[in-house]
Amino acid sequence: MFAATAGLVTRRGWLVLLAWAALAVALQAIAPPWESVSQDDNVRFFPPSYASVRGQVLLERGFPDDLAGSEVVVIAERPDGRLTEPDRAYVRQVSALLRRLMRDEPALGLKQVYDYTTPIIGARLVGNAPGGKGQVYLTTATLKATYISKRTRLTVGRIEDELAKLPPPPAGLTTLRHGDRVMLPITGSALVGHDTNQALNDSIHATTWATIALVIAILLIVYRSPLLALIPLVTIALSVWISLKGIAAMTLIPGIRFQVINVTQVFVIVVLFGAGTDYCLFLIARYREELARGRSGDEALDEALRRVGAALLASAGTVILGLGMLYFSTFAKIQYSGPAIALSLAVALAAALTLAPVLLHWLRGAVFWPFRPPHHTKGADPEVESQAEMPMHSFWAKVADLVVRRPGLIFAASLLALAPFAVVGLRARPNYGQLTDLGPDQPSIVGTRIISKYFAIGELGKTTVVVAHPGLDFLTPRGRAAVEELSKRLAALPDVAEVRSVSRPLGRPARTPVGLFGQRAFRDLIINVQVNAHYVSTRAEGADRDHITRIDVAFKTDPYSEESLGTLAAVEAVVREAVAPGGPLAGASATGLAGTTVLIDDLKKVTTADEHRMYVMVTLGVYAILVILLRRPGICLYLIATVVLGYLASLGITELVFRALHRGPGPWFGLDWKVGFFLFVILVAVGEDYNIFLMARVVEEERRLGAVEGTRRAVLHTGGIISSCGLIMACTFGSMLMGSLTSLRELGFALGLGVLLDTFVVRPVLVPAFVVLLCRLRAGGRRAASPLPEATTTSP
């Protein structure tokens, strides 16, 4: 196959370019814009059995006109006293603006607007600071979309722009600056999602340009030849563009229902510029080596493709398989992100094996300008000349000699150095909070701090319990009594601040003179119609009418925190008890939960289950590829173990670094959940990628020189190029540090560190030291050893 590829490149290179150009033109014509198909709505990515999905379905059935997935809260605070009449007039002006947007722009998804004038509910929107030193009026607008969705981001942006157009608030009210205007602070779950999505988009932009700049700089440092540096850059830039267009185009394929996840764009850019550039560099390195051995340009390119092609295919296959395994996740964000990145890597591999060789062939010796092309000097040793073409060959010659002379000492020292950090990594616990992902100056965080002075912080993301009961009308005294019993049990939980339901719309049981009124009079006169519609499915159709109820529960703790997740578990237990036989709601047909904390809890459950599944599947898949390639099950098992050790050490160091850098305002809750998950999948795949390059060269060299000397030569020949590739990969991952989201910075640091540990410790030290020790053990401890059992493969 690679002989045919070499022939096509050297004889019909124009066909290769024509094929890539045709693919690019076709994708440009058919692929929809990324922004129009990308998604970020967590609730739509969970399996149907999860509480948030069940709650969403029940809310859609029972409250079609009042369905809210998130909310915006506008804050009118006078920190030194009570609000004045001009202040209240300004609050009414804000409410009028929001109602106008709700009426005139239905695409925004605004559902309801509440302020201090709203009957019954309005009383809950006025807060007084202890001691009467401040007062706040809240105006809330509920949104149909969930807090993290792209639609919410666009709606919140529109609201911010309109609020900024209002006249400046009265003097003395707390304000924030929006561009060149001042406006009232805003927060709420929708603002948290908006700020998170906005920070993600800003991070994508910053990461993209930082990645390109770093790759250009490193390529110029390594090769010092502008055209030689340009070949990988052009090849991978085209691969990234085609990959992103191809991912978007997959949504048009009938039957597969492919979903495009917005954050996938970051990983496509970073992974392709890292791994894709590595593929090009290994090809170029072998090309230079063959030129130095005295081969002509076409012969050197032909030999490089033959030697490198299979190793590139196998090493890329480990990464593609590892990421492709994510398709078997249950969380759709992971399920579709992994295969999308894997597909992109396949595109980059194809470009590295076709487009990059064509450019090398066409540019010939000019590609090395301003230096002379590598060449063989008559009478010189070709082996020495080829080694001189490797980056940092003197350094890696010393490392190779040391590993062969003192393998036991090197092996033990490396293990002792990594083991303590691996223990920390093994004990690290993931953080599922959202507020910790944002900077302290983000509008949602500033608003949260203001509200927490007047209300329980849980008001910013209330949890809603939804119950459907076919045999119980929740507007009857019996139905209200059942709801009140459940409300009372929920209110008794330690970390619940308040419970509001049809029986207690103000958070406390309503006084109902039942003896003076009939059922109809009781319903019409005592309970406000608006309250009924909010808590009972009065507007539903068919059998659901009046038979679905909702109960709003405000926690005392941050709705994104671990404490709230614990309280949510207690809420679920109370609900299960209430609908069980003998409970006040026995016979209920369905229950569900909705709200920010519920989404976080379901996210934790689904990703934890996916992690355990993926750890096994990815490891076994990569191990299978190694065994097929190297045919040495024992050594392959060791290769897996070394990469897992590197993963745990990287996770532990990242935990220690970010814990030390944490400055509050809250306590340290741990690394974001995405760090451990993606670090494992990517590092296991990429780590074995480099191990394949090393071990494939070991196999090639040991046939001529024996296992020990072959290992030394393999480290010498591959050390410089693998460390250069690892440095590029680490820098591309490190570019994620330019992002504003804490989770991306943590993940970028962990991935960059993991790659560096792999390329400078695990791969050049732990792996060859083990191979040498194993050979000497089989040889009875002698310093020389016979070759390992022969395996048929090729190497870079």
Side-chain angles (χ1 to χ4, degrees), residues 615-636:
Y615 287 170
V616 174
M617 293 184 68
V618 171
T619 302
L620 291 178
V622 172
Y623 178 72
I625 288 184
L626 289 174
V627 171
I628 292 171
L629 178 70
L630 300 177
R631 302 181 185 179
R632 297 169 183 173
I635 290 181
C636 292

Side-chain angles (χ1 to χ4, degrees), residues 518-586:
Q519 179 179 335
R520 178 64 59 180
F522 173 83
R523 188 189 311 181
D524 293 342
L525 297 178
I526 302 301
I527 301 180
N528 184 278
V529 173
Q530 188 174 15
V531 173
N532 288 347
H534 182 75
Y535 291 110
V536 179
S537 56
T538 60
R539 298 171 186 170
E541 297 181 356
D544 286 333
R545 186 179 181 88
D546 299 342
H547 288 275
I548 298 177
T549 190
R550 56 185 289 177
I551 302 173
D552 293 330
V553 184
F555 297 164
K556 296 177 181 178
T557 51
D558 171 7
Y560 303 91
S561 67
E562 285 289 333
E563 291 88 347
S564 289
L565 294 180
T567 304
L568 181 67
V571 167
E572 290 183 287
V574 168
V575 173
R576 284 195 301 269
E577 200 174 285
V579 301
L585 290 169

Side-chain angles (χ1 to χ4, degrees), residues 23 68 139 212 218 231 233 242 248 268 314 325 335 350 375 389 464 540 543 549-550 607 611 627 735 743 789 795:
L23 178 60
T139 303
I212 294 173
I218 295 174
I231 288 176
L233 188 64
I242 286 179
V268 168
M325 284 289 183
Q335 182 183 24
H375 59 283
E389 290 299 317
T464 299
T549 190
R550 56 185 289 177
T607 54
E611 279 182 0
V627 171
S735 67
S743 58
S795 71

Side-chain angles (χ1 to χ4, degrees), residues 278-578:
D278 287 359
Y279 301 153
C280 293
L281 290 190
F282 275 106
L283 174 67
I284 293 172
R286 192 61 185 245
Y287 177 57
R288 291 167 62 103
E289 185 179 336
E290 297 303 327
L291 286 174
R293 293 179 188 275
R295 299 182 187 273
S296 66
D298 285 353
E299 291 174 341
L301 188 57
D302 181 89
E303 184 66 15
L305 276 170
R306 290 170 184 266
R307 292 289 185 180
V308 173
L312 280 178
L313 184 60
S315 60
T318 62
V319 186
I320 292 171
L321 177 66
L323 292 169
M325 284 289 183
L326 297 182
Y327 178 76
F328 298 101
S329 302
T330 53
F331 186 36
K333 273 194 172 182
I334 298 173
Q335 182 183 24
Y336 292 104
S337 291
I341 303 169
L343 174 66
S344 302
L345 271 173
V347 173
L349 175 65
L353 291 175
T354 56
L355 182 59
V358 168
L359 296 177
L360 283 172
H361 173 67
W362 284 1
L363 291 172
R364 297 185 182 276
V367 77
F368 299 101
W369 180 87
F371 304 99
R372 288 184 62 189
H375 59 283
H376 171 59
T377 302
K378 188 175 181 179
D381 185 349
E383 179 66 25
V384 174
E385 290 180 308
S386 66
Q387 292 175 13
E389 290 299 317
M390 295 296 105
M392 301 181 288
H393 67 280
S394 298
F395 171 78
W396 287 109
K398 296 176 182 178
V399 171
D401 290 340
L402 181 61
V403 169
V404 170
R405 286 200 312 270
R406 297 285 186 269
L409 177 63
I410 295 296
F411 182 80
S414 300
L415 285 181
L416 288 174
L418 293 178
F421 300 114
V423 171
V424 175
L426 195 61
R427 295 178 177 178
R429 293 295 176 263
N431 172 28
Y432 289 85
Q434 292 288 312
L435 296 183
T436 56
D437 210 8
L438 298 170
D441 58 341
Q442 290 283 357
S444 57
I445 305 301
V446 174
T448 298
R449 289 199 297 266
I450 295 174
I451 288 185
S452 63
K453 296 186 297 183
Y454 301 90
F455 300 95
I457 193 173
E459 291 284 354
L460 293 176
K462 295 182 290 293
T463 293
T464 299
V465 178
V466 195
V467 180
H469 198 305
L472 194 59
D473 184 335
F474 288 109
L475 290 183
T476 64
R478 177 169 165 262
R480 292 182 70 257
V483 171
E484 173 57 25
E485 178 61 28
L486 176 56
S487 301
K488 184 169 62 177
R489 296 183 184 185
L490 292 172
L493 294 175
D495 287 325
V496 169
E498 193 168 79
V499 177
R500 296 189 283 276
S501 63
V502 68
S503 65
R504 50 171 69 195
L506 295 180
R508 57 183 181 274
R511 295 184 179 182
T512 55
V514 179
L516 299 179
F517 300 96
Q519 179 179 335
R520 178 64 59 180
F522 173 83
R523 188 189 311 181
D524 293 342
L525 297 178
I526 302 301
I527 301 180
N528 184 278
V529 173
Q530 188 174 15
V531 173
N532 288 347
H534 182 75
Y535 291 110
V536 179
S537 56
T538 60
R539 298 171 186 170
E541 297 181 356
D544 286 333
R545 186 179 181 88
D546 299 342
H547 288 275
I548 298 177
T549 190
R550 56 185 289 177
I551 302 173
D552 293 330
V553 184
F555 297 164
K556 296 177 181 178
T557 51
D558 171 7
Y560 303 91
S561 67
E562 285 289 333
E563 291 88 347
S564 289
L565 294 180
T567 304
L568 181 67
V571 167
E572 290 183 287
V574 168
V575 173
R576 284 195 301 269
E577 200 174 285

Side-chain angles (χ1 to χ4, degrees), residues 721-761:
I721 189 59
I722 290 181
S723 57
S724 298
C725 290
L727 186 60
I728 288 177
M729 180 75 82
C731 286
T732 57
F733 285 139
S735 67
M736 296 166 70
L737 290 167
M738 302 296 293
S740 54
L741 284 177
T742 301
S743 58
L744 281 183
R745 292 199 296 268
E746 291 172 350
L747 182 57
F749 179 87
L751 286 170
L753 174 66
V755 170
L756 290 177
L757 283 178
D758 186 74
T759 53
F760 286 94
V761 179

Side-chain angles (χ1 to χ4, degrees), residues 399-407 632 694 697-699 701-716 767-779 781-789:
V399 171
D401 290 340
L402 181 61
V403 169
V404 170
R405 286 200 312 270
R406 297 285 186 269
R632 297 169 183 173
L694 170 66
R697 192 61 182 253
V698 167
V699 171
E701 297 294 341
E702 73 180 13
R703 291 175 182 148
R704 299 184 298 114
L705 306 167
V708 174
E709 178 59 19
T711 300
R712 190 189 73 82
R713 289 285 184 92
V715 173
L716 175 61
V767 171
F770 177 79
V771 171
V772 173
L773 286 173
L774 183 62
C775 290
R776 289 179 176 166
L777 179 64
R778 290 175 174 175
R782 297 189 299 274
R783 299 190 64 83
S786 59
L788 288 171

